[in-house]
Amino acid sequence: MLDPTKRFSNRVENYLKYRPTYPPEIINLLESNCGLTAESTIADVGSGTGLLTKLFLKNGNPVYGIEPNREMREAGEKVLAKYPKFISVGAVAEATTLADHSVDSVVAGQAFHWFDRLRARLEFVRILKPGGWVMLAWNGYRVKSSPLMAAYQDLVVRYGTDYSEVQREVDGCEVESFYAPAACICGRFGFQQSFDYQGLKGRLLSASYAPEPDHPDYEAMIRDMGKVFEANQTDGKVIFAYETVVYYGQLPAR
């Protein structure tokens, strides 16, 4: 597969416009169970355009956005420029450049499956303060929630250039073993986006596995996406359903 640090270089505009944020309930969860306060320092690893970072900045937290992809990182810097507690860092999960024991929590949204798990774990232990927490989150499709979501899933399976490989990466994360010998806890939150035709198209094209305009399958994919939209729209809109899965726990040194 394409180097994960380069996968989204040509997707930035659609990523910014059409990718979902993260449920604000995440903040409540971490406040209740992980001691999060507005003073807690966060390292958002694989921060991309800042969708998860923004959630913590709005809570008042100082946040290091760790992002190796230049195009994604620069887009995030523009979006988050109004937040004085945001620090952008061009680095990878396995070598963040942050100081030892400098952050209260490490978080990663839609990114952990791209990390070298062993090296990233060592790095997280290094930069976390004693008693620090790690939270890993994914926004997944609720495939069985509606005919639209089932049809959209069929679309990306049919046309995604390496969709199966990406899903194997996500499904094979072995999150529980990452936290071992400590335990991790899983929380789930449902939410949704409303898209017109252009929005659904942009959401599709934000995926790293979606064929780009110069790909021989591009026109057929867009045609079939249009059919999916027309079959499921009401007043020119469709509802795109997600389930956000959140894992959180601590990382004792092994």
Side-chain angles (χ1 to χ4, degrees):
M1 291 193 298
L2 181 66
D3 179 350
T5 66
K6 300 176 182 177
R7 289 185 68 93
F8 294 96
S9 296
N10 298 327
R11 315 281 179 169
V12 173
E13 183 177 356
N14 285 318
Y15 208 102
L16 277 172
K17 287 183 179 179
Y18 303 114
R19 280 296 180 104
T21 57
Y22 290 85
E25 289 89 349
I26 287 176
I27 296 296
N28 299 331
L29 180 86
L30 299 184
E31 287 176 340
S32 298
N33 299 311
C34 307
L36 179 74
T37 70
E39 288 71 44
S40 302
T41 300
I42 309 296
D44 182 1
V45 181
S47 55
T49 60
L51 293 171
L52 182 59
T53 303
K54 189 174 182 179
L55 193 68
F56 288 95
L57 291 170
K58 289 173 70 174
N59 190 53
N61 297 104
V63 183
Y64 292 97
I66 313 296
E67 175 53 51
N69 183 287
R70 179 178 60 82
E71 291 84 0
M72 296 283 277
R73 186 174 66 253
E74 289 177 353
E77 289 168 353
K78 291 178 182 178
V79 170
L80 303 174
K82 65 180 180 180
Y83 294 97
K85 293 184 179 181
F86 173 61
I87 301 173
S88 180
V89 181
V92 295
E94 300 80 7
T96 64
T97 75
L98 300 187
D100 292 355
H101 311 306
S102 57
V103 300
D104 296 287
S105 294
V106 172
V107 302
Q110 217 76 17
F112 177 73
H113 50 284
W114 300 122
F115 302 165
D116 178 312
R117 256 77 92 187
L118 177 59
R119 293 174 56 212
R121 189 187 193 283
L122 292 171
E123 178 69 354
F124 293 178
V125 169
R126 184 187 69 80
I127 66 175
L128 278 168
K129 296 176 183 178
W133 292 79
V134 174
M135 185 211 74
L136 309 173
W138 284 268
N139 285 325
Y141 310 147
R142 293 176 60 199
V143 175
K144 298 180 180 180
S145 65
S146 70
L148 168 79
M149 297 309 299
Y152 185 88
Q153 175 76 357
D154 290 342
L155 191 72
V156 297
V157 168
R158 187 182 320 135
Y159 290 108
T161 54
D162 58 354
Y163 176 78
S164 296
E165 290 85 348
V166 172
Q167 284 306 113
R168 278 198 293 271
E169 289 290 330
V170 175
D171 296 340
C173 277
E174 298 181 356
V175 171
E176 289 82 1
S177 66
F178 181 77
Y179 288 90
C184 67
I185 302 170
C186 180
R188 298 175 184 271
F189 306 98
F191 74 110
Q192 61 189 31
Q193 288 177 290
S194 176
F195 288 133
D196 58 13
Y197 170 84
Q198 193 61 40
L200 186 64
K201 178 181 176 182
R203 177 63 183 83
L204 175 61
L205 295 179
S206 76
S208 65
Y209 44 74
E212 296 190 82
D214 60 352
H215 192 283
D217 289 340
Y218 177 82
E219 294 297 337
M221 179 186 70
I222 297 302
R223 179 198 65 219
D224 287 352
M225 189 222 73
K227 293 178 181 178
V228 169
F229 179 83
E230 287 302 324
N232 293 280
Q233 61 86 22
T234 300
D235 297 327
K237 296 289 181 67
V238 294
I239 300 300
F240 202 93
Y242 296 95
E243 181 178 61
T244 300
V245 181
V246 177
Y247 296 90
Y248 60 97
Q250 296 176 301
L251 293 182
R254 290 173 176 170

